[in-house]
Amino acid sequence: MSACTCPSDPDLTRRLIDLTQAGLPLVDDPWAWIAERLGISSEQALRLLQQLQRDGTIRRIAAVPNHYRLGYRHNGMTVWDVEDARMDQLGLLVGAQPFVSHCYRRPRRDGWRYNLFAMVHGRSAEDIDRDRQRIRQLLGDACRADDMLVSSRILKKTGLRLNRPAPTDRAQAPSQESSSCSE
């Protein structure tokens, strides 16, 4: 186990990213699983991941539940035209709500007046409508208009993948249902 575990080892870093970019396997010790495949110790694997995270190469390591399998089958991207002067304060307030999975500011564009986006998930259309109403109440008179873009189907359910050729047919496409990496 003499492999270099510094982030400046591009081969090791690339192998680690290739190994983990689709997610960690559901095993008792994912660090040992990674280490075994990279030929390093579990401690070295964990230190390398932490260093890559500190350097900004890896943004985060987190569980990503499949909300559809948990019964949350309704989604809506709520969009808001909020006073720019109050955006920071109100964006933080909206983003802190337990029913908002992600919230961000976007620049206004010609023909698109909205500058605050907040994604909500629910078990029913009524749930996401109720969440939208809660956000509307929080924003109060700082909100000049709003809308909700409702998901009708899933087109892609993965994050960024590096240097992976696009599948040429559906049989080669990776499964959405997979929650672990394959060797």
Side-chain angles (χ1 to χ4, degrees):
M1 305 244 179
S2 61
C4 173
T5 58
C6 64
S8 62
D9 180 346
D11 179 58
L12 183 64
T13 298
R14 180 58 198 213
R15 288 174 39 225
L16 175 69
I17 291 169
D18 286 345
L19 191 61
T20 59
Q21 68 182 346
L24 296 176
L26 298 175
V27 296
D28 289 337
D29 188 349
W31 315 127
W33 181 90
I34 292 168
E36 179 182 333
R37 281 145 185 84
L38 294 177
I40 60 178
S41 72
S42 297
E43 293 78 19
Q44 289 172 312
L46 183 56
R47 275 198 311 271
L48 178 56
L49 282 165
Q50 290 170 334
Q51 182 62 47
L52 292 171
Q53 190 172 10
R54 278 192 302 273
D55 293 346
T57 303
I58 296 174
R59 189 176 341 163
R60 65 182 172 168
I61 300 169
V64 181
N66 182 327
H67 59 276
Y68 293 94
R69 289 179 124 184
L70 295 173
Y72 292 87
R73 300 193 179 280
H74 296 266
N75 310 293
M77 177 59 77
T78 62
V79 294
W80 308 88
D81 177 7
V82 175
E83 290 177 19
D84 291 324
R86 297 183 59 196
M87 172 60 82
D88 290 343
Q89 169 202 6
L90 294 173
L92 289 171
L93 181 63
V94 171
Q97 299 309 302
F99 52 85
V100 173
S101 63
H102 48 286
C103 179
Y104 46 93
R105 179 183 200 164
R106 289 287 185 252
R108 300 172 201 277
R109 302 282 186 217
D110 288 338
W112 186 257
R113 65 190 297 176
Y114 305 108
N115 60 344
L116 178 65
F117 293 59
M119 185 65 144
V120 297
H121 304 277
R123 295 183 185 273
S124 68
E126 293 78 21
D127 285 349
I128 62 174
D129 286 336
R130 190 170 32 257
D131 292 341
R132 180 180 173 196
Q133 181 59 36
R134 288 182 196 155
I135 295 171
R136 191 179 289 124
Q137 290 171 349
L138 288 171
L139 296 175
D141 63 358
C143 177
R144 296 179 286 238
D146 68 285
D147 203 349
M148 183 159 55
L149 313 172
V150 179
S151 302
S152 59
R153 63 183 179 150
I154 301 170
L155 299 176
K156 180 182 178 196
K157 193 72 175 151
T158 63
L160 173 67
R161 300 291 184 263
L162 302 177
N163 292 335
R164 293 287 178 239
T168 56
D169 65 40
R170 295 177 66 75
Q172 293 176 331
S175 168
Q176 286 183 18
E177 301 300 319
S178 174
S179 60
S180 63
C181 298
S182 59
E183 290 184 37

